[in-house]
Amino acid sequence: MDVYNQTTVTQFILIGLSDLPEVRYPLFVVFAIIYHFTLVGNGAILLAIGTEKKLRTPMYYFLANLSLLDIFCPSTTVPKMLENLLTEKNSISFVGCALQLYFLVALVGTEVFLLSVMAYDRYVAICFPLRYTLIITKVRCVQLTAGTWAAGFLNSLIHTVSTFRLSFCSSNRVNQYYCDIPPVVALSCSSTYVAEMLILVEAGILGSSAFLLTFISYFYIVSTILKMQSVAGKCKAFSTCASHLLVVCLFGGTTIFTYVRPSSQHSPARDRLISLLYGVITPMLNPVIYSLRNTEVKGAVRRALCHRARLQQM
């Protein structure tokens, strides 16, 4: 039920899936399978990188961080979605909603920044191969990674505080599968101008800067690859970068479309579909994209799984 005027909201109702009662159980099975494949796929990449000495390089160090994010990000939303589908309760406490929003935005932001760092890493590796080990050192890798996580969580803290300082005294029905900034801000009965401008300006500047850095890096990468004489070298360089660029387009395009838009342009049905793409589908696809196009990862995953199977049989 809604919580109306003169009553403080103590919980929110997530109605993103409540209008599909006839397909509740099929949706539960679909989301459970997707979540399972997400955990297994990203876990396999982490296992391969952790056990294969040949993969202990900066590129795979960043890939391991991406796999961690692809495990954590859906884990903030999918378990609650599965619970709601199974029980039909659809409620989440005020504090639970704030925490879910905080960790979701933090992890999404961290992944956006990490993808830019990965693009910079490929830029240095391809454009300055002889100086790569001098520029991308172990210390620099740790600094860049720590910076992306710190920036993502600090950015989320600002948005979470801005969102939940608003007054909620009218409807408590969140038109989404989980708590996210646009649908929660839309419920406020106080002025949302500051919160909306903060989303547009800060997310616009940080998001646009991250993707600008990514595409500038790839502009120089492509220019360098086209100048290579060796056909094999070109194919290897394109194969390495194509996976990352595909992930950037899938994840980056949907996140920018979600956050960097005025509230008047938000459509509940369209926003639900887009949120599924970047919050549920893309984390499952990332291991497939990287393993299918990378023979080293594919071989390492196969060896790690075979070794684990042999240990279980002993």
Side-chain angles (χ1 to χ4, degrees), residues 13-304:
I13 308 298
L14 304 172
I15 63 171
L17 298 171
S18 62
D19 56 350
L20 299 168
E22 65 280 359
V23 291
R24 189 160 54 93
Y25 292 117
L27 280 176
F28 175 85
V29 173
V30 170
F31 284 130
I33 291 172
I34 290 173
Y35 186 51
H36 174 76
F37 277 112
T38 300
L39 297 181
V40 171
N42 286 289
I45 286 181
L46 287 172
L47 179 64
I49 293 173
T51 56
E52 190 85 8
K53 290 183 179 180
K54 188 169 62 174
L55 300 185
R56 291 175 188 174
T57 62
M59 183 178 81
Y60 294 109
Y61 173 75
F62 294 133
L63 180 57
N65 275 269
L66 182 65
S67 292
L68 273 177
L69 287 167
D70 285 338
I71 290 173
F72 293 154
C73 189
S75 295
T76 63
T77 58
V78 176
K80 183 62 179 174
M81 289 166 60
L82 294 176
E83 179 192 341
N84 291 345
L85 284 168
L86 209 56
T87 63
E88 287 190 287
K89 289 183 178 178
N90 298 328
S91 63
I92 185 170
S93 68
F94 187 91
V95 174
C97 184
L99 288 173
Q100 188 182 63
L101 185 148
Y102 172 69
F103 283 108
L104 174 67
V105 175
L107 294 166
V108 168
T110 301
E111 186 158 343
V112 169
F113 299 140
L114 181 65
L115 290 172
S116 297
V117 169
M118 291 173 75
Y120 172 71
D121 171 69
R122 291 299 84 207
Y123 161 73
V124 176
I126 292 172
C127 298
F128 305 100
L130 298 179
R131 296 171 56 194
Y132 179 72
T133 54
L134 298 176
I135 298 172
I136 309 293
T137 61
K138 288 185 178 180
V139 174
R140 183 66 55 83
C141 283
V142 173
Q143 289 173 340
L144 288 170
T145 307
T148 61
W149 284 82
F153 277 78
L154 180 60
N155 174 60
S156 180
L157 180 63
I158 294 170
H159 285 297
T160 305
V161 171
S162 171
T163 299
F164 285 92
R165 285 185 66 184
L166 299 170
S167 299
F168 298 96
C169 53
S170 182
S171 175
N172 66 339
R173 298 169 68 84
V174 180
N175 205 337
Q176 187 53 281
Y177 313 108
Y178 47 78
C179 291
D180 201 358
I181 297 173
V184 172
V185 168
L187 299 178
S188 176
C189 55
S190 57
S191 173
T192 61
Y193 178 78
V194 174
E196 289 183 8
M197 287 305 297
L198 187 64
I199 297 169
L200 287 172
V201 174
E202 188 184 343
I205 292 173
L206 293 178
S208 299
S209 299
F211 288 111
L212 186 62
L213 174 62
T214 300
F215 286 110
I216 288 175
S217 297
Y218 272 98
F219 173 79
Y220 285 106
I221 287 170
V222 171
S223 298
T224 303
I225 291 173
L226 292 176
K227 294 176 185 176
M228 290 180 178
Q229 300 297 321
S230 168
V231 175
K234 285 183 180 181
C235 291
K236 184 177 179 181
F238 271 124
S239 178
T240 303
C241 296
S243 302
H244 180 250
L245 196 56
L246 181 58
V247 171
V248 169
C249 293
L250 277 173
F251 186 81
T254 51
T255 51
I256 284 181
F257 189 80
T258 298
Y259 295 107
V260 190
R261 283 186 300 153
S263 59
S264 59
Q265 294 182 13
H266 283 277
S267 164
R270 184 175 54 194
D271 290 347
R272 291 182 205 175
L273 177 61
I274 292 169
S275 67
L276 274 181
L277 288 175
Y278 77 80
V280 179
I281 305 298
T282 304
M284 178 190 68
L285 293 178
N286 283 354
V288 178
I289 292 169
Y290 278 102
S291 62
L292 285 180
R293 297 195 62 86
N294 191 312
T295 54
E296 289 182 335
V297 173
K298 202 160 35 175
V301 169
R302 192 183 302 114
R303 286 189 293 273

